[in-house]
Amino acid sequence: MSKLIMVSNRLPVRIEADGSASRTEGGLASALEGADLEQEQLWVGWPGGAVEDFEDVERVTDDLRRIGVEPVFLTRDEVDGFYEGYSNSTLWPLMHYMIERAKFSRNWWAAYRAVNRKFAEVIMEAADDGDQVWIHDYHLFLLPAMLRGGKKELKVGFFLHTPFCSSEIFRVLPDRVELLKGLLGADLIGFHTYNYLRHFRSALLQVLGWESEMEGMWHDGREVRMGVYPIGHNHAGFEREIRDPGFADLVASHLRDLAGKRMILNVERLDYTKGVPQKLAAMRRFLESNPDKRDDVLFVLIAVPSRQGVREYDDLTEEVQREVGAINGEFGKVGHAPIQFLHRGFPMCDLAAFYALAEVCMVTPLRDGMNLVAKEFLDCQRPEFSERPGVLILSEFAGAAHELSHALHVNPHDVDQVAAAINRALEMPDDERLQRIGMMQKRLRKQHSGVWARRFLKELDKAQPGEGRIEIMELSPLAARLGEMARERGALGLFLDYDGTLRPFVDVPDQAVPDPELPGLLRDLAGCRGVSLAVVSGRTAEFLEKHLGGLGVSLIGEHGYRWLEHGTGEWELFNPHVNTEWKNAIREHLEQASLLTPGTHVEEKQSALVWHYRKADPEFGLWRARGLLEELTSMAANLPVTVHHGQKIVEISSLQVSKGLAVDHLLRAWDCRAALVAGDDQTDETMITLAPEGVEFFSVKVGAGPTRAAYRTDIPGLRSFLEELRKVLRH
Ligand code: GDG
């Protein structure tokens, strides 16, 4: 059975001073536990610290392996560049929209790449074909693509725990292209909310110019699926604490400490994304405007220390301490300070007791991927521990706001609104409180972290490892056979598509000129006795003649509308009766679209009209293209045309024209006894599916995708085949 490899930057382990290792209960570890998987599991990640500080690395490694963990050790420089630098000081602030806090350094980026590569190597060593690899978070954006390059067929999933910021922010990153392409190495990419997925797709479009659907996209000949998987909290863990026989006593002891005050609870890691200064401003405003409640309420501010020693974080701590002191100084009295700042972590049982006792819980981050505190608070609210049900105040910028619609939603920047929400929460009647909590609890308990993990992994399991990896066939025997035929029967026809077959695609089509070897190869092949060669393309006559003229090769342009028989110098129409009157009606629509969409233009071919939007704003261009398609498809119902949405184009072409019809014509005109066609896309299938009578017919598909061709290869494979054929034919 395949195994599951969990990959996160930090491992859920603790390493003691003597080097011995044990597992800890992280959020992800508990999610996996709750998912009840039968698969064997392995964790890959960083055990923390710098490798230079471990006295006996081998012993730590052995210990970790014994508890199902494969460590990725980092040097001190890597910890600085990859972790503190690129992950925490570039990506973290940017993903949370704090562009002015983001710092950029070439050295950090180099370390980020190197460490992602290190992870890839450890995984490749540990994985077997068919394993599921589930990668977590922004530290490892490059890893999915790095795993693709390896020899093992893996099912690769990626989940982002932070928000995916707007593409307008993301595009600021100097390394945006590589980061996005790195992620697209995954088979499945998951986000907490629909918005994050939307931003990601928009980044693909804005940065790479790649269009995608909500469900995903095709990339590199395989499907990359995308989806929304909101994470749940550790319901089982909190349930265990609450069911513990000592829990009621613990609650009673905290209740005594509260001495009748109404607790307004805040729990967070002290990070600038959590908006603690803004929250303090709202508390101050509340205390100012509600003097009658000053003595009744106690704001409990549990702030778990974070990244101590980093200046920004130390400054934040100082700022918070100062402001708490100032507010208490101003609004406190002997025996009561309205804010209690607890700058440390608490055991889970205490946390559960605080959640159970709180009358209000304030979750007011400036940005947060999800925020589990909100869900944990709701879950721990039980009638047996508190007389009054609690109220959740929730920032609209937390991912959780999408799910918890019955909370009091606030804009954390709006100090007046948050202060008013605190007052409203305190005054809310019990039946309303109960009703709101009930609605949210019902949902949460069913959507716990185990359910989340199971859902994601079930979806990941549908991936088809190896999909898109095309099976390249050995074409030497085919070259030998064609050589024999040309000698015995003469009249061998070769029909070769250009873009994607003789030459790779490039972003700007005009730059797809032949490489230096191609003209010589085509000239040599066409010059062999008994051989007729045609390049069959969708390109215009002008392009083909400019780049492939004078080689003794016949040229077929515009998908089979026109052709230039070598040696004649005259372009002819395959079918002079093709009706192109429809162009007048359609041209007007396309020109109107160009006028309204900067960066687009209309190309007029003799048998087709093409609207190009490669240079337009990608999102705007795509939106207009979709509108045009809808409009043209209904117009085209009564016209002899087909409408096709291609690579940044909308093309309307005559139904009476195809590459297949053109090749069929030439097979007869040249009296071919044997023929070979090669192409890469749907328009080439019209030649591939020909079955000409009396002709030994061979077809080759270049690249991935469905085909009816008998042979398959890639661009370099076709090139070697043609070179070999040249040798055989000249022999
Ligand atoms: C990322 C994303 C996303 C807090 N104080 C104590 C304590 N905690 C626990 C809470 C909760 C967790 O820490 C914090 O929840 P977050 O949701 O902020 O989770 P992170 O892992 O920090 O953040 C976030 C999350 O990933 C999941 O995808 O929601 O948006 O930034 O579970 O209970 N736990 C204990 N003592 C404390 O004092 N024991």
Side-chain angles (χ1 to χ4, degrees), residues 161 192 231 267 274 304 345-346 351 368-372 376:
H161 290 264
H192 285 307
I231 197 170
V267 179
K274 301 292 182 183
V304 183
F346 284 83
L351 208 56
D368 214 332
M370 171 57 73
N371 195 296
L372 293 173
E376 293 163 2

Side-chain angles (χ1 to χ4, degrees), residues 184 187-191 193-205 209-219 222-229 613 618-619 622-623 625-627 629-630 645-648:
L184 289 178
D187 295 299
L188 177 64
I189 306 175
F191 303 91
T193 73
Y194 167 74
N195 271 347
Y196 306 159
L197 169 56
R198 196 165 56 79
H199 293 320
F200 174 62
R201 290 185 52 215
S202 159
L204 292 176
L205 192 56
W210 293 353
E211 290 161 14
S212 61
E213 302 294 328
M214 271 307 286
E215 298 75 24
M217 66 183 286
W218 280 85
H219 170 59
R222 55 188 187 86
E223 196 179 7
V224 180
R225 281 171 304 133
M226 303 166 192
V228 177
Y229 302 88
Y613 64 97
E619 231 150 321
L622 179 60
W623 176 76
R626 291 197 167 136
L629 276 171
E630 211 169 289
H645 189 187
Q647 288 281 333
K648 307 277 180 190

Side-chain angles (χ1 to χ4, degrees), residues 45 177 251 405 454 466 522 613 662 726:
V177 169
V251 172
S405 47
R454 216 168 32 230
L522 295 177
Y613 64 97
R726 168 170 63 183

Side-chain angles (χ1 to χ4, degrees), residues 657-672:
V657 171
S658 82
K659 290 184 177 180
L661 288 171
V663 170
D664 197 40
H665 179 100
L666 287 187
L667 284 170
R668 273 182 271 119
W670 290 345
D671 199 16
C672 291

Side-chain angles (χ1 to χ4, degrees), residues 27-28 92 96 137-138 159-163 192 196 231-234 238 267-269 273-274 302-304 344-349 351 355 367-374 376 398-400 452:
L28 276 181
W92 174 265
H96 291 87
D137 238 359
Y138 59 95
F159 188 83
L160 183 66
H161 290 264
T162 64
H192 285 307
Y196 306 159
I231 197 170
H233 68 296
N234 178 8
F238 281 95
V267 179
E268 49 236 330
R269 198 162 55 77
T273 59
K274 301 292 182 183
I302 296 177
V304 183
R344 61 179 193 272
F346 284 83
M348 200 166 167
C349 53
L351 208 56
Y355 287 146
R367 288 280 165 186
D368 214 332
M370 171 57 73
N371 195 296
L372 293 173
V373 168
E376 293 163 2
W452 165 79

